[in-house]
């Protein structure tokens, strides 16, 4: 199986994981957790959307995740 990238957005945190392998034998290639700077998931503010995007980007980069397709 090609590597897979999981993303979990919560009201207080952003969690990411990159896995490879096959059912029954997965290997973690990247794992990270970051802070949700907005404090919720529902916003219409362009500034808050930008802050959330930057926090996701930083969490992904810090975890060393290279996969571009995500499973949310």
């Amino acid at each position: 199986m090609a590597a897979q990238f999981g993303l979990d957005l919560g009201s207080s945190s952003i969690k990411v994981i990159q896995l490879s392998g096959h059912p029954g034998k997965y290997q973690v290639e990247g794992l990270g957790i970051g802070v949700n700077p907005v404090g919720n998931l529902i916003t219409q503010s362009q500034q808050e959307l930008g802050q959330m995007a930057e926090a996701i980007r930083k969490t992904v980069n810090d975890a060393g995740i290279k996969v571009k397709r995500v499973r949310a």
Side-chain angles (χ1 to χ4, degrees):
M1 168 185 85
Q4 308 242 348
F5 166 29
L7 172 66
D8 178 20
L9 299 175
S11 60
S12 63
S13 65
I14 300 164
K15 295 172 279 299
V16 296
I17 189 168
Q18 181 176 318
L19 297 174
S20 65
H22 53 82
K25 190 171 183 178
Y26 290 109
Q27 179 175 348
V28 175
E29 295 184 359
L31 183 65
I33 187 165
V35 175
N36 177 343
V38 177
N40 62 53
L41 296 175
I42 301 171
T43 183
Q44 297 297 319
S45 164
Q46 289 298 323
Q47 180 181 2
E48 287 182 345
L49 290 173
Q51 290 173 340
M52 179 66 101
E54 183 56 35
I56 292 169
R57 190 175 3 264
K58 181 176 181 342
T59 304
V60 168
N61 287 338
D62 289 351
I65 292 174
K66 304 295 183 208
V67 176
K68 298 298 181 192
R69 291 184 169 177
V70 65
R71 293 185 183 236

